[in-house]
C-alpha cells in the first residue's frame, strides 16, 4: 500500500477500479436488455441523437485528414464490444487532462470526432465506447449512471464500500 513506509495492503484499503467499471457497464446494459428497455442492436442514435451522422477517417497526409461519412449504423453492441471505431479515449477538453467528465459530455465529444474505422468491421479497445453505453443507461433510466449502479447493483449486493465517490474517511483508512 505504501512502499516507502513498508505498509502492506489491507482489506480496508481503497483502490481505484478503472477498467472494472466496464463489467458494471455490461451488467447495467444487460439489466436493461433483460427488462426490454433496450436492445443490443439498437442504433446508438436512438438514445443519443448526436450519433446519427458519423465520419470515418480514411487517411491523414501532412496533418490533413480525409473523412468519409460512415456507412454502417453504430449500435449499442458495437460500443460494448469495442467494434464501434472509437479511439481508446476521447477528451472533451485538453484543460481537463485525465479528469473524468460527465458521460454525456464524453459521448458528445466522441460523436463529433472521426471514427478510426467503420463500425462493426474491426476492433480496438476503447474506453470511449463504454462511456457511450453508460450514457445510454443514463438516458433510458433518467438517472446518473453512478446512481443506477448504487440502487440496482451495489445496494442489493451489499457492496457498501464500492462507490464512485469515496469519502475522506474511506480514503484515509
Amino acid at each position: 500500500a505504501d512502499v516507502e513506509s513498508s505498509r502492506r495492503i489491507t482489506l480496508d484499503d481503497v483502490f481505484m477500479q478503472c477498467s472494472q467499471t466496464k463489467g458494471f457497464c455490461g451488467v447495467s446494459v444487460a439489466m436493461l436488455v433483460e427488462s426490454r428497455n433496450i436492445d443490443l442492436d439498437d442504433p446508438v442514435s436512438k438514445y443519443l441523437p448526436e450519433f446519427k451522422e458519423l465520419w470515418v477517417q480514411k487517411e491523414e497526409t501532412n496533418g490533413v485528414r480525409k473523412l468519409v461519412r460512415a456507412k454502417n449504423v453504430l449500435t449499442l453492441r458495437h460500443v460494448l464490444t469495442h467494434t464501434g471505431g472509437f479511439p481508446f479515449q476521447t477528451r472533451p477538453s485538453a484543460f481537463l487532462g485525465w479528469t473524468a467528465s460527465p458521460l454525456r459530455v464524453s459521448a458528445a465529444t466522441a460523436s463529433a470526432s472521426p471514427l478510426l474505422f467503420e463500425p462493426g468491421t474491426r476492433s480496438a479497445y476503447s474506453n470511449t465506447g463504454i462511456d457511450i453505453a453508460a450514457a445510454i443507461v443514463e438516458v433510458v433510466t433518467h438517472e446518473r449512471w453512478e446512481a443506477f449502479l448504487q440502487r440496482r447493483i451495489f445496494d442489493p449486493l451489499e457492496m457498501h464500500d464500492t462507490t464512485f465517490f469515496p469519502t475522506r474517511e474511506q480514503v484515509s483508512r
Side-chain angles (χ1 to χ4, degrees), residues 12-15 159-173:
D12 292 328
D13 286 334
V14 175
F15 294 93
M159 296 174 69
H160 305 298
D161 292 327
T162 304
T163 180
F164 280 82
F165 309 106
T167 63
R168 274 201 171 112
E169 177 185 281
Q170 287 170 315
V171 173
S172 63
R173 284 190 227 172

Side-chain angles (χ1 to χ4, degrees), residues 16 18 89-103 105-107 109 127 131 144 164-165:
M16 186 174 191
C18 299
Q89 181 169 328
T90 58
R91 290 183 282 160
S93 168
F95 298 110
L96 291 176
W98 290 102
T99 304
S101 60
L103 291 169
V105 173
S106 294
T109 300
N127 286 341
D131 288 348
R144 300 241 348 168
F164 280 82
F165 309 106

